[in-house]
Amino acid sequence: ESVCEDGLIEEKIIHQLFSQPSNLGAYAHASIFPKQKFSLISNSPECLFQSRLSKRDSRLDVWSMPIKGTMPFERGRDCFFTMWEKLKNSQKNQAELYMITDLLRNDLGRIKLTPVHIIAKKKPLIAPGLIHQYSLLLTSLNLSEDSVYLYDLIKGLFPGGSITGAPKKRVMKIIKALETRPRGFYCGSTILAYQGNVCASINIRSGELDWVSGKLTVGAGGGITLDSEEDDEYEEMLKKLSSILQALN
C-alpha cells in the first residue's frame, strides 16, 4: 500500500522532523520530490563549509567545521561537564580531530592559496543523544584579485575530511575498492545558497524515504583507528543511527 495516498506525506515528514527542536542537528533538513515520490531526510550536525560574501571589502569568508570524537550524551548540566571532560581529554579522539583539522586547513588553503586561521581548536558540540568535539577554521578569499565560484569550494573541500580520513585521495581509492555500492545521499552534501551566503552540510545521520514502499534507508558508520575499541565503535554507530530515527518518531 502506498504511504502517499492521502497526499500529505510532505507535511508529515516536515512535521515529524522539525516538531521537536531538541532532537535536531544543526544542519537538519528535508528535501521533498513529489513527482519522484521520495524524500531526502537529514538530521546532520556537521558543516562542510559556510561562506559569506562581504561586498564592502570584496572578500568571501569561508568557514569549515570538522567533527571528530563522539560520546553518548543525555542532556543535563552535570552530565555535560562529565562527558566533555572525558571526551576532550581522550588522546585518541584528540588525535583524530587534529588530523582532520590539519586536512581541512590544507583543503581550504588550496582553494586560492590563502592563509587559513584556526578560530577554535577544540570545542564541544551537542547533537541528539551525542556530544562531539569540533574545530572551526576560516579563510578569506580576495575577490578583487580573482573570481571565486561555488565549484571552486566544492572541488576544494568535497568530500568532507571527517568522512574520508587522511590522506584523503588515497583513502577514497581504498573506499572505492572495498565498498560494494555507492553511498548515495548519505555522506554527501546538501547546499543552500541565499543572498550571497552559501551553506553546505555533510549528510551524516541521513536517509532516503521511498513514499510508495514506505522504506527508509539510513546510513551509519564511523572511523576506525589503531586505538579503536570494537565494542565502543559499534555502540557509537548505534547511537548515531538513533540520532536520526528518534527525530522521526
Side-chain angles (χ1 to χ4, degrees):
E1 181 181 0
S2 171
V3 298
C4 61
E5 286 181 346
D6 58 5
L8 297 176
I9 188 68
E10 300 100 323
E11 290 84 356
K12 288 181 178 179
I13 293 169
I14 297 297
H15 175 74
Q16 285 297 113
L17 185 60
F18 294 101
S19 61
Q20 299 184 56
S22 62
N23 286 339
L24 291 179
Y27 291 84
H29 62 278
S31 300
I32 311 297
F33 300 91
K35 291 185 177 181
Q36 292 76 21
K37 293 184 171 55
F38 82 98
S39 301
L40 302 175
I41 304 168
S42 178
N43 198 27
S44 174
E46 189 163 7
C47 163
L48 177 64
F49 71 85
Q50 286 192 186
S51 66
R52 183 176 61 197
L53 179 63
S54 175
K55 296 181 179 179
R56 184 179 62 181
D57 54 7
S58 297
R59 302 194 73 84
L60 182 71
D61 292 330
V62 184
W63 293 268
S64 187
M65 192 181 77
I67 293 175
K68 271 298 173 191
T70 304
M71 284 191 176
F73 172 73
E74 299 297 334
R75 289 184 179 272
R77 180 180 176 88
D78 293 339
C79 180
F80 169 78
F81 285 114
T82 300
M83 298 310 295
W84 173 236
E85 284 295 318
K86 184 177 180 179
L87 179 58
K88 75 177 183 178
N89 291 320
S90 165
Q91 291 185 351
K92 168 188 174 292
N93 287 298
Q94 177 175 281
E96 292 178 7
L97 177 65
Y98 289 172
M99 175 185 67
I100 299 305
T101 299
D102 189 58
L103 173 63
L104 262 294
R105 180 194 57 78
N106 181 68
D107 285 352
L108 280 170
R110 292 174 57 190
I111 294 173
K112 290 295 176 182
L113 300 179
T114 54
V116 178
H117 306 283
I118 300 178
I119 306 301
K121 198 171 184 180
K122 186 196 301 184
K123 291 287 186 179
L125 175 69
I126 296 175
L130 300 164
I131 182 170
H132 300 290
Q133 57 182 11
Y134 74 94
S135 298
L136 180 63
L137 299 89
L138 167 67
T139 187
S140 294
L141 308 178
N142 191 342
L143 301 183
S144 63
E145 297 178 354
D146 194 11
S147 298
V148 178
Y149 301 97
L150 178 58
Y151 172 78
D152 296 319
L153 302 182
I154 297 172
K155 181 181 178 182
L157 295 172
F158 187 86
S162 60
I163 297 300
T164 64
K168 181 185 282 191
K169 290 185 178 181
R170 177 57 183 152
V171 173
M172 288 170 64
K173 291 180 180 179
I174 294 172
I175 289 173
K176 184 177 181 180
L178 293 177
E179 297 189 357
T180 58
R181 61 181 181 180
R183 296 186 183 184
F185 178 62
Y186 171 64
C187 289
S189 290
T190 299
I191 301 172
L192 174 66
Y194 181 70
Q195 294 186 346
N197 299 309
V198 180
C199 172
S201 66
I202 296 181
N203 292 330
I204 53 176
R205 326 287 150 80
S206 301
E208 303 175 37
L209 174 64
D210 184 308
W211 298 3
V212 178
S213 67
K215 181 180 179 181
L216 175 65
T217 303
V218 178
I224 305 297
T225 68
L226 290 175
D227 292 329
S228 294
E229 297 289 341
E230 59 269 28
D231 290 342
D232 292 343
E233 295 292 341
Y234 183 70
E235 288 300 320
E236 180 181 310
M237 184 182 67
L238 294 181
K239 282 288 186 180
K240 291 174 179 177
L241 183 62
S242 174
S243 190
I244 180 175
L245 295 181
Q246 72 181 28
L248 298 174
N249 286 337

